Amino acid sequence: MHPGLVLLSARLLDVVTGELLPQTALAVSGGRISALDDDRRIRALAGPATTVIDLKGAVVTPGLVDGHIHPLMGAELAHGLDLSGCATLDEVRQALAREAGSLAPGAWLHGWGLDPNVFGDRPVASATIGPVLDGIPAVLLLFDAHSMIASPRAMELAGVDGPRRFEQYAEIVCDEAGRPTGLLLEDAACELVERAAPPVAPAERRARLASALREVAASGLTGGHAMDANGESLSLYAELDEAGDLPLRLRVAPWLQPGADGRAVADLIAQQGTGGRLWEVAGVKLFMDGTVDNGTAWLERPDCHGESTHAFWPDPAAFTRIIGELHRAGVPTATHAIGDAAVRHVLDAVESATSAEYRGVRHRIEHIETVPDDTLRRFAELGVIASMQPTHCCDFTRADHTDNWSRRLGEERAAHAWRCRDLWDSGATVVLGSDWPVAPYPPLTVMAGARHRRPSRDLTQPPHNPGQALTALEALQGMTLNPAFAAGAEHESGRLAIGHRADLTVFAENPLATPATDLAGLPVVLTVVDGRTTHRDAGL
């Protein structure tokens, strides 16, 4: 049988050693790498139906995988107003005014990417933005995606007029008189207002997702560990996959929230392994805390406002019991834990679970923004994957610690920000990702940030804690070898080897030889998923 795809005149990069392989071509059959050899021998394998591409010396790596991504949320937000480029409150007001002027009467305004640093010392509230949203139903998601500002009209339409109690940690922030300020913390509070907005038609949601994922594939990504919240995303992945329109390989971890009963846990266990050709449910996503920026992280010492003192689970012991139940069922977990107390509790829960009879489950902790020294070694000892997003440090904090995140934590803890280097050196498996749409999805930007730790928009700025930077090879491994290991797929993914999946990313030049500050601009000329071309530069 002839291969379906042949790539010639290639530089094949071994991500284990960082060296080029001696072969210059590869063949793909049945979605797998079927041969590695020189151009003459690989060309001879091609048949009449084989796609043959001369790469003209381009560099092939295993397909890049985002270790933490929210595809459906990203696709939805891409159709709203992007506020991530606004550095001042005046810029936010101007952007909102332009958007409001283009809305039909009664239409909702959806904004995202709002940086709390634009508020400075002013309250993060709808009144601070001013009258630009008067009479307009609007929801503005802050960049952490754990909090939002709702306009007075949106709050009115949602019937939110005072504080409420929630089963999980969430808050409708109110003034001293008990009136909502417009700031909503965590999902349960945000959903109260989001539900009041007109729903998007299913066909439109599918079209948005397909369009967004095509752009993601063009950036060089061939896969993602999708931290999705609900069954609707799964049905959309299934529809795209069946139609041949899913350009990424997705490993999906549905959410489990506090208050879930035994039936909910059993349903998630039963759901494991379901999926299609390019997507699969594999794991469960949980939350141990919120975020530092909005005061909902779980810290061992309060932040400068006396906040971030509570776990997301009202009863952390219940979280520990569920981790044990999932572990015994062989289900890997991915837990959002940003603060030091949250990270410690998740490590404790995994340690308790691994004393049970079932071993070998690869649990993960997501984000890990600040941790003390004594927690570092425990990741390797317990086999817990460290899933990190370096661009959060690059773009949302500052080297001089004048940003909201650093001011809340204080100098001592801000100096321990995103300890990628220390975790790597301690023996932990570090997986890199974007957390898109919290930060942009291009994987080269993520890898560059892991290396230079500077603001993506202005690389002349000083780096935040440059001692925590990764090398070029480590950053590449963080999006190839290590995601494969985290997924338990190291036997068939993450390397250029015969029998491995033909998920490939092709660059104009060697990313390991490209300076960190130039890496984000390195052209991606080809991406291949399961042996199928999902992006091809016009020059090939």
Side-chain angles (χ1 to χ4, degrees):
M1 178 182 291
H2 298 295
L5 175 68
V6 159
L7 302 181
L8 303 173
S9 301
R11 288 181 285 168
L12 308 178
L13 186 59
D14 180 1
V15 296
V16 176
T17 66
E19 302 295 326
L20 295 176
L21 295 172
Q23 299 91 346
T24 60
L26 63 80
V28 174
S29 301
R32 303 272 172 165
I33 298 173
S34 55
L36 293 167
D37 214 320
D38 61 29
D39 281 23
R40 182 181 62 82
R41 289 189 176 91
I42 295 296
R43 186 188 294 275
L45 299 175
T50 302
T51 298
V52 179
I53 302 177
D54 185 343
L55 293 181
K56 306 172 185 176
V59 176
V60 182
T61 72
L64 301 183
V65 175
D66 191 311
H68 188 121
I69 192 169
H70 303 272
L72 183 58
M73 181 189 295
E76 290 293 310
L77 292 184
H79 287 262
L81 174 63
D82 183 359
L83 296 169
S84 63
C86 297
T88 68
L89 202 52
D90 282 343
E91 291 178 7
V92 171
R93 291 168 181 150
Q94 292 166 14
L96 292 174
R98 288 192 297 269
E99 185 75 4
S102 68
L103 293 175
W108 282 60
L109 190 159
H110 295 269
W112 61 283
L114 180 60
D115 187 344
N117 287 298
V118 304
F119 292 89
D121 293 328
R122 302 178 186 182
V124 180
S126 59
T128 308
I129 294 174
V132 66
L133 294 178
D134 281 356
I136 297 174
V139 287
L140 311 178
L141 192 66
L142 275 76
F143 76 71
D144 62 11
H146 282 249
S147 53
M148 68 168 47
I149 295 175
S151 69
R153 178 58 176 156
M155 299 285 275
E156 179 185 358
L157 291 173
V160 178
D161 56 8
R164 298 193 187 182
R165 294 181 62 85
F166 300 95
E167 286 191 359
Q168 57 195 248
Y169 184 80
E171 182 181 358
I172 299 168
V173 178
C174 297
D175 61 20
E176 294 180 354
R179 296 177 300 238
T181 67
L183 179 60
L184 306 170
L185 303 180
E186 297 301 333
D187 287 329
C190 296
E191 287 174 359
L192 293 176
V193 178
E194 289 175 322
R195 284 199 297 264
V200 178
E204 176 63 19
R205 299 194 84 186
R206 173 178 165 174
R208 289 181 182 182
L209 180 60
S211 175
L213 291 184
R214 285 193 294 271
E215 294 180 8
V216 171
S219 75
L221 280 174
T222 65
H225 295 177
M227 306 295 171
D228 279 347
N230 51 52
E232 186 175 8
S233 64
L234 302 184
S235 63
L236 288 171
Y237 297 150
E239 290 177 19
L240 292 179
D241 193 28
E242 290 167 6
D245 293 332
L246 187 61
L248 298 180
R249 189 184 302 276
L250 296 176
R251 183 177 189 268
V252 188
W255 289 7
L256 180 66
Q257 298 278 31
D261 58 17
R263 169 60 63 183
V265 176
D267 288 346
L268 283 174
I269 292 172
Q271 199 175 26
Q272 300 300 305
T274 60
R277 186 172 64 93
L278 289 178
W279 70 278
E280 178 186 19
V281 174
V284 171
K285 170 75 181 298
L286 305 97
F287 293 81
M288 201 64 244
D289 66 350
T291 68
V292 169
D293 277 289
N294 68 26
T296 59
W298 187 17
L299 300 172
E300 294 179 338
R301 302 192 315 275
D303 67 16
C304 69
H305 300 295
E307 297 176 336
S308 285
T309 59
H310 302 290
F312 184 72
W313 285 64
D315 178 11
F319 169 89
T320 300
R321 290 194 296 272
I322 286 178
I323 291 292
E325 185 174 352
L326 293 171
H327 179 86
R328 288 187 292 275
V331 178
T333 60
T335 302
H336 169 120
I338 280 178
D340 44 19
V343 172
R344 191 183 301 278
H345 188 87
V346 179
L347 291 170
D348 289 344
V350 171
E351 183 171 22
S352 175
T354 54
S355 65
E357 65 276 9
Y358 192 95
R359 297 182 182 274
V361 182
R362 292 174 185 171
H363 300 286
R364 306 159 50 127
I365 299 181
E366 310 296 316
H367 309 308
I368 319 168
E369 293 184 5
T370 178
V371 288
D373 292 342
D374 67 337
T375 59
L376 295 172
R377 58 175 176 76
R378 299 185 67 198
F379 282 83
E381 290 174 354
L382 296 170
V384 173
I385 308 297
S387 173
M388 306 187 74
Q389 299 75 45
T391 42
H392 293 194
C393 181
C394 296
D395 294 341
F396 304 139
T397 70
R398 301 171 187 150
D400 63 3
H401 297 169
T402 59
D403 59 279
N404 179 58
W405 186 94
S406 299
R407 285 188 289 115
R408 277 183 173 269
L409 287 182
E411 285 295 318
E412 178 187 353
R413 287 183 291 193
H416 288 82
W418 285 269
R419 301 179 71 175
C420 298
R421 170 86 275 138
D422 290 342
L423 281 162
W424 195 290
D425 288 347
S426 72
T429 298
V430 177
V431 170
L432 301 181
S434 66
D435 199 14
W436 182 61
V438 173
Y441 56 73
L444 288 172
T445 300
V446 174
M447 291 192 295
R451 292 167 57 182
H452 63 58
R453 294 176 70 96
R454 300 173 185 270
S456 302
R457 298 187 195 93
D458 185 0
L459 296 176
T460 66
Q461 294 296 312
H464 190 151
N465 202 355
Q468 293 301 323
L470 299 180
T471 67
L473 180 58
E474 289 166 348
L476 181 58
Q477 291 173 343
M479 301 197 82
T480 52
L481 276 176
N482 293 359
F485 179 84
E490 67 271 22
H491 63 289
E492 62 176 355
S493 185
R495 294 189 299 120
L496 299 180
I498 293 174
H500 274 49
R501 292 170 177 165
D503 296 349
L504 311 168
T505 305
V506 185
F507 304 99
E509 297 294 339
N510 190 338
L512 301 185
T514 303
T517 51
D518 296 335
L519 187 62
L522 179 63
V524 175
V525 298
L526 186 74
T527 49
V528 175
V529 175
D530 200 42
R532 177 170 61 95
T533 299
T534 56
H535 164 71
R536 182 172 178 176
D537 185 84
L540 282 184

